[in-house]
PDB file of all heavy atoms in Angstrom:
ATOM      1  N   ALA A 295     -25.894 -22.645  -2.790  1.00  0.00           N
ATOM      2  CA  ALA A 295     -26.496 -21.324  -2.992  1.00  0.00           C
ATOM      3  C   ALA A 295     -27.979 -21.320  -2.628  1.00  0.00           C
ATOM      4  O   ALA A 295     -28.482 -20.375  -2.010  1.00  0.00           O
ATOM      5  CB  ALA A 295     -26.308 -20.887  -4.443  1.00  0.00           C
ATOM      6  N   GLU A 296     -28.675 -22.387  -2.981  1.00  0.00           N
ATOM      7  CA  GLU A 296     -30.111 -22.493  -2.685  1.00  0.00           C
ATOM      8  C   GLU A 296     -30.372 -22.465  -1.184  1.00  0.00           C
ATOM      9  O   GLU A 296     -31.357 -21.873  -0.715  1.00  0.00           O
ATOM     10  CB  GLU A 296     -30.659 -23.785  -3.296  1.00  0.00           C
ATOM     11  CG  GLU A 296     -32.167 -23.910  -3.215  1.00  0.00           C
ATOM     12  CD  GLU A 296     -32.692 -25.217  -3.823  1.00  0.00           C
ATOM     13  OE1 GLU A 296     -31.914 -25.933  -4.485  1.00  0.00           O
ATOM     14  OE2 GLU A 296     -33.881 -25.503  -3.619  1.00  0.00           O
ATOM     15  N   LYS A 297     -29.487 -23.102  -0.429  1.00  0.00           N
ATOM     16  CA  LYS A 297     -29.630 -23.111   1.037  1.00  0.00           C
ATOM     17  C   LYS A 297     -29.128 -21.804   1.649  1.00  0.00           C
ATOM     18  O   LYS A 297     -29.723 -21.282   2.601  1.00  0.00           O
ATOM     19  CB  LYS A 297     -28.859 -24.292   1.625  1.00  0.00           C
ATOM     20  CG  LYS A 297     -29.419 -25.654   1.237  1.00  0.00           C
ATOM     21  CD  LYS A 297     -28.536 -26.771   1.771  1.00  0.00           C
ATOM     22  CE  LYS A 297     -29.075 -28.144   1.369  1.00  0.00           C
ATOM     23  NZ  LYS A 297     -28.164 -29.245   1.777  1.00  0.00           N
ATOM     24  N   ALA A 298     -28.022 -21.268   1.116  1.00  0.00           N
ATOM     25  CA  ALA A 298     -27.399 -20.079   1.709  1.00  0.00           C
ATOM     26  C   ALA A 298     -28.225 -18.815   1.507  1.00  0.00           C
ATOM     27  O   ALA A 298     -28.166 -17.895   2.331  1.00  0.00           O
ATOM     28  CB  ALA A 298     -26.000 -19.882   1.111  1.00  0.00           C
ATOM     29  N   VAL A 299     -29.004 -18.760   0.423  1.00  0.00           N
ATOM     30  CA  VAL A 299     -29.751 -17.540   0.147  1.00  0.00           C
ATOM     31  C   VAL A 299     -30.864 -17.305   1.176  1.00  0.00           C
ATOM     32  O   VAL A 299     -31.226 -16.155   1.468  1.00  0.00           O
ATOM     33  CB  VAL A 299     -30.335 -17.570  -1.292  1.00  0.00           C
ATOM     34  CG1 VAL A 299     -31.528 -18.520  -1.398  1.00  0.00           C
ATOM     35  CG2 VAL A 299     -30.715 -16.159  -1.748  1.00  0.00           C
ATOM     36  N   LYS A 300     -31.377 -18.379   1.761  1.00  0.00           N
ATOM     37  CA  LYS A 300     -32.488 -18.237   2.709  1.00  0.00           C
ATOM     38  C   LYS A 300     -32.115 -17.421   3.946  1.00  0.00           C
ATOM     39  O   LYS A 300     -32.832 -16.467   4.302  1.00  0.00           O
ATOM     40  CB  LYS A 300     -33.035 -19.619   3.092  1.00  0.00           C
ATOM     41  CG  LYS A 300     -33.673 -20.357   1.910  1.00  0.00           C
ATOM     42  CD  LYS A 300     -34.050 -21.781   2.270  1.00  0.00           C
ATOM     43  CE  LYS A 300     -34.581 -22.539   1.045  1.00  0.00           C
ATOM     44  NZ  LYS A 300     -34.846 -23.961   1.344  1.00  0.00           N
ATOM     45  N   PRO A 301     -30.999 -17.740   4.655  1.00  0.00           N
ATOM     46  CA  PRO A 301     -30.653 -16.925   5.830  1.00  0.00           C
ATOM     47  C   PRO A 301     -30.216 -15.504   5.478  1.00  0.00           C
ATOM     48  O   PRO A 301     -30.387 -14.590   6.282  1.00  0.00           O
ATOM     49  CB  PRO A 301     -29.505 -17.705   6.480  1.00  0.00           C
ATOM     50  CG  PRO A 301     -28.932 -18.548   5.395  1.00  0.00           C
ATOM     51  CD  PRO A 301     -30.097 -18.893   4.519  1.00  0.00           C
ATOM     52  N   ILE A 302     -29.666 -15.328   4.264  1.00  0.00           N
ATOM     53  CA  ILE A 302     -29.280 -13.975   3.849  1.00  0.00           C
ATOM     54  C   ILE A 302     -30.534 -13.139   3.604  1.00  0.00           C
ATOM     55  O   ILE A 302     -30.645 -11.999   4.067  1.00  0.00           O
ATOM     56  CB  ILE A 302     -28.405 -14.014   2.575  1.00  0.00           C
ATOM     57  CG1 ILE A 302     -27.109 -14.789   2.828  1.00  0.00           C
ATOM     58  CG2 ILE A 302     -28.070 -12.587   2.127  1.00  0.00           C
ATOM     59  CD1 ILE A 302     -26.293 -15.048   1.561  1.00  0.00           C
ATOM     60  N   LYS A 303     -31.493 -13.711   2.896  1.00  0.00           N
ATOM     61  CA  LYS A 303     -32.755 -12.990   2.646  1.00  0.00           C
ATOM     62  C   LYS A 303     -33.501 -12.723   3.950  1.00  0.00           C
ATOM     63  O   LYS A 303     -34.137 -11.672   4.113  1.00  0.00           O
ATOM     64  CB  LYS A 303     -33.633 -13.782   1.673  1.00  0.00           C
ATOM     65  CG  LYS A 303     -33.162 -13.693   0.230  1.00  0.00           C
ATOM     66  CD  LYS A 303     -34.145 -14.358  -0.722  1.00  0.00           C
ATOM     67  CE  LYS A 303     -33.760 -14.097  -2.183  1.00  0.00           C
ATOM     68  NZ  LYS A 303     -34.665 -14.787  -3.128  1.00  0.00           N
ATOM     69  N   ARG A 304     -33.404 -13.673   4.864  1.00  0.00           N
ATOM     70  CA  ARG A 304     -34.065 -13.470   6.164  1.00  0.00           C
ATOM     71  C   ARG A 304     -33.437 -12.275   6.882  1.00  0.00           C
ATOM     72  O   ARG A 304     -34.151 -11.463   7.488  1.00  0.00           O
ATOM     73  CB  ARG A 304     -33.938 -14.742   7.017  1.00  0.00           C
ATOM     74  CG  ARG A 304     -34.816 -14.713   8.257  1.00  0.00           C
ATOM     75  CD  ARG A 304     -34.820 -16.045   8.972  1.00  0.00           C
ATOM     76  NE  ARG A 304     -35.646 -16.004  10.168  1.00  0.00           N
ATOM     77  CZ  ARG A 304     -35.643 -16.944  11.101  1.00  0.00           C
ATOM     78  NH1 ARG A 304     -34.860 -18.010  10.978  1.00  0.00           N
ATOM     79  NH2 ARG A 304     -36.414 -16.846  12.172  1.00  0.00           N
ATOM     80  N   MET A 305     -32.106 -12.156   6.807  1.00  0.00           N
ATOM     81  CA  MET A 305     -31.421 -11.003   7.404  1.00  0.00           C
ATOM     82  C   MET A 305     -31.908  -9.705   6.766  1.00  0.00           C
ATOM     83  O   MET A 305     -32.213  -8.735   7.469  1.00  0.00           O
ATOM     84  CB  MET A 305     -29.919 -11.118   7.207  1.00  0.00           C
ATOM     85  CG  MET A 305     -29.153  -9.867   7.602  1.00  0.00           C
ATOM     86  SD  MET A 305     -27.410  -9.869   7.148  1.00  0.00           S
ATOM     87  CE  MET A 305     -27.500  -9.571   5.376  1.00  0.00           C
ATOM     88  N   LEU A 306     -32.003  -9.679   5.439  1.00  0.00           N
ATOM     89  CA  LEU A 306     -32.421  -8.471   4.736  1.00  0.00           C
ATOM     90  C   LEU A 306     -33.864  -8.116   5.080  1.00  0.00           C
ATOM     91  O   LEU A 306     -34.192  -6.927   5.245  1.00  0.00           O
ATOM     92  CB  LEU A 306     -32.256  -8.659   3.227  1.00  0.00           C
ATOM     93  CG  LEU A 306     -30.809  -8.816   2.728  1.00  0.00           C
ATOM     94  CD1 LEU A 306     -30.792  -9.090   1.224  1.00  0.00           C
ATOM     95  CD2 LEU A 306     -29.963  -7.594   3.076  1.00  0.00           C
ATOM     96  N   GLU A 307     -34.709  -9.124   5.215  1.00  0.00           N
ATOM     97  CA  GLU A 307     -36.113  -8.864   5.570  1.00  0.00           C
ATOM     98  C   GLU A 307     -36.236  -8.302   6.986  1.00  0.00           C
ATOM     99  O   GLU A 307     -36.959  -7.326   7.221  1.00  0.00           O
ATOM    100  CB  GLU A 307     -36.913 -10.182   5.455  1.00  0.00           C
ATOM    101  CG  GLU A 307     -37.153 -10.623   4.006  1.00  0.00           C
ATOM    102  CD  GLU A 307     -37.565 -12.078   3.897  1.00  0.00           C
ATOM    103  OE1 GLU A 307     -37.749 -12.727   4.955  1.00  0.00           O
ATOM    104  OE2 GLU A 307     -37.672 -12.578   2.757  1.00  0.00           O
ATOM    105  N   ILE A 308     -35.522  -8.927   7.935  1.00  0.00           N
ATOM    106  CA  ILE A 308     -35.575  -8.446   9.324  1.00  0.00           C
ATOM    107  C   ILE A 308     -34.990  -7.030   9.402  1.00  0.00           C
ATOM    108  O   ILE A 308     -35.537  -6.158  10.087  1.00  0.00           O
ATOM    109  CB  ILE A 308     -34.828  -9.399  10.280  1.00  0.00           C
ATOM    110  CG1 ILE A 308     -35.537 -10.764  10.328  1.00  0.00           C
ATOM    111  CG2 ILE A 308     -34.749  -8.802  11.690  1.00  0.00           C
ATOM    112  CD1 ILE A 308     -34.767 -11.839  11.114  1.00  0.00           C
ATOM    113  N   SER A 309     -33.891  -6.796   8.687  1.00  0.00           N
ATOM    114  CA  SER A 309     -33.257  -5.473   8.698  1.00  0.00           C
ATOM    115  C   SER A 309     -34.215  -4.418   8.150  1.00  0.00           C
ATOM    116  O   SER A 309     -34.302  -3.300   8.681  1.00  0.00           O
ATOM    117  CB  SER A 309     -31.969  -5.490   7.867  1.00  0.00           C
ATOM    118  OG  SER A 309     -31.013  -6.329   8.465  1.00  0.00           O
TER     119      SER A 309
END
Side-chain angles (χ1 to χ4, degrees):
E296 188 181 349
K297 294 176 181 175
V299 74
K300 295 173 185 175
I302 299 171
K303 284 187 172 177
R304 191 172 179 192
M305 171 189 75
L306 294 176
E307 287 163 4
I308 295 173
S309 294

